[in-house]
Amino acid sequence: MAYAVSRAGNGNGLVIPKNHKKLLTLNVDHLYHLALDTQKDDLEKMFGDVQFVCFGGQPSRMEKFSAFVARELNISDHEMDGDTPRNYAAGTDRYSIHKVGPVLSVSHGIGIPSLSVVFNEIVKLVYYAKCKDVEFFRIGTCGGVGLEPGTVVVTEKAVDGEMNPYYKLAVLGKPVQRLAKVDQSLMESLLDCSEPDDNFKTVKGTTLCADDFYEGQARLDGAFCEYEEEDKMKFLQELKEKGVCNIEMESLGFLAMCHYAGIKGAVACVTLLDRLQQDTLSCDLQMLKKWQERPQNIVLRHIKKKQHIMNGES
C-alpha cells in the first residue's frame, strides 16, 4: 500500500487543513475538546501570534511548562488564572491549553487516539487564527533501550510495534497509512541545542511507538502476558540491534499527522529508565521531575534561538 504523503499549506506560511473546503461551509466550528469555537471566540486575536505549539501528556506538566516559558522568555502580559497561565480549555475536562506569547502548551493524554483528537482541533485552531510558520513539538517521557536514564532522545525515525514507519488507521472501513516523517531541519536544530555543560546526553535515534503500555512494550506486570522474561529480553535486544533508542506511545501518530498537515514537527523525550535493566521506575519523584525538564529545556532553547533570529538579534 502506498503511503499518503501529500502536504498542506499555501506557500505563505499559513496552515491550510486538507479539509478546509468543508470547514468553510460550517456556520460555526466547535472545537469541542478545547472549549473554543469560531463564533464566540475571536481565535485570530487570541492566538494569531502563536509560532510554537508544544504537546505533552499531562495537563499539570504542560501547565508548569507554560510557566517555565513565561520565565525564560520574560513574558508577563499573558492571561492568568491565579498564579498560573490561563487554561483556555478549562471548560472541558479532556485537555489543557496555555498560551504564553508565541508558545502554546497543550496536553494530549496518553496514546495516539487521545493525541489525534486534540491534534485535529489544534490544527484547526492555528488555521482559524491565521498563524504563520508554526512548528509543533511533542515533549515527553519514554523508556530507554540501552541508554542511561535521564538521556534526551530526539526522534530521528518513528516506527510501530512491527517496525513500520507509518501510522495506520481505518477510514470508512478501509486501511490508510500515513508516513511518519521527521522534519530534518527541526530535528537537527534540537540536537544543536545540546550544550557542553549539560549534565545529560542528547542523542538522536529510532523511537518505537507502542499501542499499549503493557504487552505492546513487552512488560511482564500487566493483566495479560503470554511470554516469559527471556522472550522479553530477546525482543528488547532485537530492538536495540535495529537502532531503537526509546519506546513511548505517541511519536508515530504525531509525526505522521504533522507531515500530512504540512507542519514542521519534532519529538524530544527523556528516558526514565533503561528497559534492558528494568520495567518499573526506581528513582525518586523529585529526580523524575527534574529529568522531565530536560527535553523542555532543549525545545525552549530552540524557541529562544528562533525568536532572536526573527527579532534580528545576533
Side-chain angles (χ1 to χ4, degrees), residues 142-154 201 203-206 240 244-246 269 271-277:
C142 61
V145 181
L147 294 177
E148 180 182 355
T151 300
V152 172
V153 179
V154 178
K201 293 181 180 179
V203 301
K204 66 179 178 180
T206 297
K240 183 181 179 182
V244 172
C245 288
N246 62 328
C269 294
T271 61
L272 300 184
L273 73 170
D274 180 0
R275 288 298 314 285
L276 294 175
Q277 302 296 325

Side-chain angles (χ1 to χ4, degrees), residues 135-184:
E135 297 174 348
F136 280 17
F137 302 91
R138 165 164 148 68
I139 307 170
T141 59
C142 61
V145 181
L147 294 177
E148 180 182 355
T151 300
V152 172
V153 179
V154 178
T155 298
E156 181 179 32
K157 178 183 179 182
V159 296
D160 66 11
E162 298 176 302
M163 298 297 291
N164 298 312
Y166 47 79
Y167 167 45
K168 296 179 286 187
L169 71 161
V171 178
L172 300 181
K174 298 179 181 179
V176 172
Q177 298 177 351
R178 290 179 181 157
L179 182 65
K181 186 174 182 180
V182 177
D183 185 273
Q184 293 296 306

Side-chain angles (χ1 to χ4, degrees), residues 67-303:
F68 178 47
V69 171
R71 292 194 304 272
E72 291 296 306
L73 298 185
N74 195 27
I75 296 174
S76 59
D77 61 349
H78 50 282
E79 293 188 57
M80 300 288 289
D81 285 334
D83 295 329
T84 60
R86 175 184 173 186
N87 177 14
Y88 287 89
T92 173
D93 59 358
R94 298 291 184 182
Y95 304 99
S96 65
I97 309 172
H98 303 276
K99 180 183 180 297
V100 177
V103 181
L104 205 61
S105 178
V106 182
S107 70
H108 61 57
I110 186 168
I112 294 176
S114 179
L115 166 70
S116 176
V117 175
V118 72
F119 191 99
N120 268 267
E121 296 186 11
I122 290 294
V123 169
K124 293 199 292 179
L125 173 61
V126 299
Y127 163 59
Y128 292 128
K130 299 181 181 178
C131 301
K132 286 190 175 183
D133 300 316
V134 66
E135 297 174 348
F136 280 17
F137 302 91
R138 165 164 148 68
I139 307 170
T141 59
C142 61
V145 181
L147 294 177
E148 180 182 355
T151 300
V152 172
V153 179
V154 178
T155 298
E156 181 179 32
K157 178 183 179 182
V159 296
D160 66 11
E162 298 176 302
M163 298 297 291
N164 298 312
Y166 47 79
Y167 167 45
K168 296 179 286 187
L169 71 161
V171 178
L172 300 181
K174 298 179 181 179
V176 172
Q177 298 177 351
R178 290 179 181 157
L179 182 65
K181 186 174 182 180
V182 177
D183 185 273
Q184 293 296 306
S185 63
L186 203 53
M187 179 194 72
E188 293 296 339
S189 179
L190 292 185
L191 291 169
D192 288 343
C193 287
S194 175
E195 297 180 352
D197 58 351
D198 284 339
N199 60 350
F200 60 91
K201 293 181 180 179
T202 298
V203 301
K204 66 179 178 180
T206 297
T207 298
L208 186 144
C209 181
D211 291 329
D212 169 66
F213 184 81
Y214 290 99
E215 289 180 291
Q217 299 188 41
R219 284 188 166 86
L220 301 172
D221 59 345
F224 313 103
C225 182
E226 298 181 351
Y227 47 86
E228 303 300 330
E229 171 75 18
E230 55 268 30
D231 303 312
K232 179 197 80 171
M233 293 306 302
K234 180 181 178 182
F235 171 70
L236 293 175
Q237 288 289 352
E238 288 175 350
L239 290 183
K240 183 181 179 182
E241 291 169 6
K242 292 176 181 177
V244 172
C245 288
N246 62 328
I247 304 172
E248 46 85 89
M249 296 179 64
E250 293 86 19
S251 60
L252 187 75
F254 179 81
L255 292 168
M257 287 186 283
C258 282
H259 181 59
Y260 195 57
I263 296 170
K264 289 186 175 183
V267 177
C269 294
V270 64
T271 61
L272 300 184
L273 73 170
D274 180 0
R275 288 298 314 285
L276 294 175
Q277 302 296 325
Q278 60 193 101
D279 286 349
T280 57
L281 298 174
S282 58
C283 57
D284 65 87
L285 184 60
Q286 290 303 315
M287 180 67 75
L288 290 178
K289 289 181 178 179
K290 287 293 184 183
W291 286 355
Q292 289 175 15
E293 295 173 359
R294 291 177 175 181
Q296 295 178 5
N297 270 298
I298 294 294
V299 171
L300 194 51
R301 288 172 188 169
H302 165 82
I303 291 173

